[in-house]
Amino acid sequence: MHIEDILRNIASQIANNYTDPGVKASYLQAAERLRYPYWDWAASDVPTKGLPSIFTNLTLSVNTPPFNLPTNVANPLRAYSFVDTVGTPFGAGDIYNPQNGATYQVPVGYIYSAPGYSTVRQPVNGYATNDDAVQSSVKLAAAASFIPALFQMFQTTEFEPFSNHYATVPNRGSQNATHFLQYASLEGVHDSVHRAVGGLGGHFRFNTMAGFDPVFFLHHCNVDRVFALWQALYPDQWIEPSLSPQGTFTIPMNTTVDVNTELTPFYRRAGDRYYNSNDMRDVLALGYTYPELAKFQNLTMDKRRKVVFDMYRPNRNTTYEVRWYIGLDKVVATGVPGAFSVHVFLNPQTPVGVDTPLTDPTYCGSADFSSGMSSSIKTYEGVVELTDCMVRLKRTINSIPGNPVGDPETALSSLAGWPVLYSDLAYVTEGYNGQDFSQYVKLDNVTIFYTYEKGNNGKFIRGAEPKTPNIVGKK
């Protein structure tokens, strides 16, 4: 909010430089209403259009002061040019910052931040953004990860599994669980956007550098918006005391945090203390709203859910009675050197690895984890939808053997007749640098499960496929 105050002040200063009184007044009014915009990466057109051109154009035409005449300027949303050496995710200093970008070879996986370098996305040799690779990656990820994950995430009725992908929910994913909570989290889909845009060696892929890419703020503003939509569906849910495995610069690792934990370094306007989570709970009280929230005011909860699920339903032109997923219940990362992804494939006919393109027809989707370097053991969870891949490979999706749709309590002990089996699935763990991370990352538990929307009203029933002991998937 404070940074938006600064932006509005700068915008007002610029507006005052226009000579025409009417033009000046309109720009001053616009400056007063200025807020960070958001990029809805799960909108229905992203699988076909990819990253909006406002992030990729080399130049923009801007009506500049004093005479409001169009002028071509370098597009500030394409990249940020470093003016100081800010170090790297691997340590302070400029050890990884060469003096000649032409020496960069893909996929080194390092990022450069020396003066004169600009932020890059999906970089190629010569350290330049590969726009075609960015667009292909974003389109594919939107269809396979962003939209399905958001659709799953909005089914989550509890705050902790909604908010993060640490495997801390008791009994989650176990055979003895009385409910199936293998939903995508907001943190998980957030991480997928970072992977799709940044790619191997792009600044946006690294936690410590992502904020320099201009996409960052519009991405995180959409995260704020999605959070607000989820709150509107589940207004009684809020932060419960929980462990912070990674900690922050001011919170030690494995500290219990709650609604009163200080959100350092952000100080309240009154200057009396740091903000805490309760201060930020009501976006309307903070002076913000979103188009959907304005529509929700006179709607019942059922109708609100229907609006959201219709907005983010995968394959909006196709109605599947049943949707299938693989819940990655326990992803154990030991001494992981950085961000990684788990790519899921359905019945590949040849062995898959980090060199297998994600355009392969057996590719289902990915769960992404923006982990920093860590010498400790961390446990995550994620989810990947299988439905579209099953349809593509002509698997039956609307049949649940011996378990009629609408009655998930009658689980079978037999695997006979199920349209997808644990042994059908193969997994690839790929690191931020394109390397195989199987030495660091293990899948200790997975659950194939399904959901069925009863009456198209945003209410779901679900069930899980019975497990075969010790089978996770193809090796």
Side-chain angles (χ1 to χ4, degrees):
M1 293 185 294
H2 293 319
I3 194 171
E4 286 185 326
D5 287 341
I6 296 172
L7 287 176
R8 282 190 288 273
N9 288 336
I10 294 173
S12 295
Q13 293 172 18
I14 295 172
N16 274 312
N17 290 328
Y18 289 90
T19 55
D20 183 282
V23 172
K24 178 187 294 187
S26 65
Y27 279 121
L28 284 171
Q29 184 180 35
E32 179 62 28
R33 295 174 58 85
L34 180 63
R35 301 291 187 277
Y36 267 116
Y38 61 83
W39 168 42
D40 185 0
W41 23 255
S44 59
D45 61 349
V46 179
T48 56
K49 294 183 178 179
L51 192 66
S53 60
I54 191 68
F55 296 116
T56 61
N57 290 339
L58 295 175
T59 61
L60 296 177
S61 179
V62 178
N63 294 337
T64 58
F67 303 115
N68 200 35
L69 297 177
T71 305
N72 283 333
V73 300
N75 182 6
L77 294 182
R78 179 178 173 85
Y80 168 79
S81 294
F82 292 96
V83 295
D84 292 303
T85 297
V86 296
T88 77
F90 310 100
D94 61 358
I95 185 172
Y96 298 109
N97 285 320
Q99 298 304 308
N100 184 356
T103 65
Y104 181 83
Q105 297 293 315
V106 175
V108 170
Y110 297 131
I111 52 178
Y112 304 154
S113 57
Y117 281 89
S118 297
T119 55
V120 291
R121 304 164 189 150
Q122 304 269 358
V124 293
N125 294 344
Y127 208 55
T129 289
N130 184 339
D131 288 317
D132 289 341
V134 173
Q135 294 296 25
S136 296
S137 177
V138 170
K139 290 175 185 178
L140 179 62
S145 298
F146 305 167
I147 297 173
L150 217 58
F151 188 70
Q152 266 288 296
M153 186 211 72
F154 279 118
Q155 296 175 43
T156 307
T157 60
E158 300 172 19
F159 182 84
E160 185 175 8
F162 152 76
S163 65
N164 69 83
H165 52 35
Y166 288 104
T168 57
V169 178
N171 230 17
R172 183 166 174 172
S174 73
Q175 288 181 281
N176 298 320
T178 56
H179 57 303
F180 302 95
L181 284 174
Q182 296 93 338
Y183 299 140
S185 67
L186 182 57
E187 184 175 19
V189 67
H190 153 273
D191 289 357
S192 293
V193 177
H194 277 274
R195 189 255 307 171
V197 175
L200 304 181
H203 293 78
F204 201 63
R205 185 73 189 275
F206 295 84
N207 290 346
T208 53
M209 291 289 175
F212 289 103
D213 189 312
V215 173
F216 180 87
F217 283 100
L218 282 79
H219 165 40
H220 277 258
C221 284
N222 194 51
V223 171
D224 290 344
R225 169 181 163 271
V226 170
F227 196 159
L229 293 182
W230 186 86
Q231 284 182 293
L233 301 187
Y234 309 103
D236 296 331
Q237 284 293 313
W238 192 229
I239 297 169
E240 297 288 342
S242 63
L243 205 63
S244 175
Q246 288 186 304
T248 69
F249 287 108
T250 57
I251 299 174
M253 293 175 60
N254 297 316
T255 297
T256 297
V257 295
D258 58 26
V259 294
N260 296 310
T261 299
E262 293 181 335
L263 302 178
T264 54
F266 302 107
Y267 231 65
R268 299 204 319 165
R269 291 178 188 273
D272 55 339
R273 61 174 175 80
Y274 292 109
Y275 283 107
N276 62 37
S277 295
N278 276 341
D279 295 322
M280 315 307 292
R281 183 170 183 174
D282 185 355
V283 295
L284 297 178
L286 296 171
Y288 292 82
T289 190
Y290 300 98
E292 297 85 2
L293 295 186
K295 297 176 183 177
F296 283 173
Q297 295 202 5
N298 297 318
L299 295 182
T300 64
M301 287 299 173
D302 283 353
K303 289 183 177 179
R304 289 183 184 185
R305 280 192 290 268
K306 186 176 187 318
V307 168
V308 171
F309 286 121
D310 285 347
M311 186 164 50
Y312 291 118
R313 191 180 307 280
N315 301 104
R316 291 164 175 81
N317 296 324
T318 303
T319 300
Y320 299 149
E321 289 183 20
V322 183
R323 307 197 75 91
W324 293 85
Y325 304 87
I326 181 70
L328 310 179
D329 306 320
K330 194 174 183 181
V331 182
V332 181
T334 305
V336 67
F340 65 93
S341 303
V342 178
H343 307 308
V344 180
F345 297 82
L346 174 59
N347 200 31
Q349 298 306 297
T350 57
V352 291
V354 293
D355 295 328
T356 305
L358 301 188
T359 53
D360 189 283
T362 66
Y363 170 69
C364 300
S366 303
D368 299 288
F369 306 92
S370 290
S371 171
M373 296 175 64
S374 175
S375 59
S376 63
I377 299 175
K378 296 180 180 178
T379 305
Y380 303 95
E381 59 196 1
V383 66
V384 172
E385 180 163 358
L386 307 176
T387 317
D388 288 343
C389 191
M390 291 170 66
V391 171
R392 188 163 57 244
L393 299 180
K394 303 187 184 307
R395 296 285 184 103
T396 300
I397 63 170
N398 289 330
S399 174
I400 303 174
N403 189 358
V405 171
D407 185 16
E409 301 302 324
T410 57
L412 293 183
S413 59
S414 170
L415 288 169
W418 285 83
V420 58
L421 303 177
Y422 290 96
S423 57
D424 289 336
L425 299 170
Y427 309 89
V428 174
T429 52
E430 182 183 28
Y432 66 93
N433 53 5
Q435 301 301 307
D436 185 336
F437 266 29
S438 58
Q439 62 179 311
Y440 308 109
V441 180
K442 307 296 180 185
L443 297 182
D444 273 10
N445 194 41
V446 297
T447 301
I448 294 175
F449 69 103
Y450 63 85
T451 63
Y452 172 69
E453 187 175 7
K454 193 172 185 179
N456 192 31
N457 61 2
K459 292 183 178 179
F460 293 80
I461 57 176
R462 57 197 62 85
E465 183 172 320
K467 294 188 177 184
T468 300
N470 302 321
I471 290 184
V472 170
K474 291 180 182 291
K475 303 298 184 184

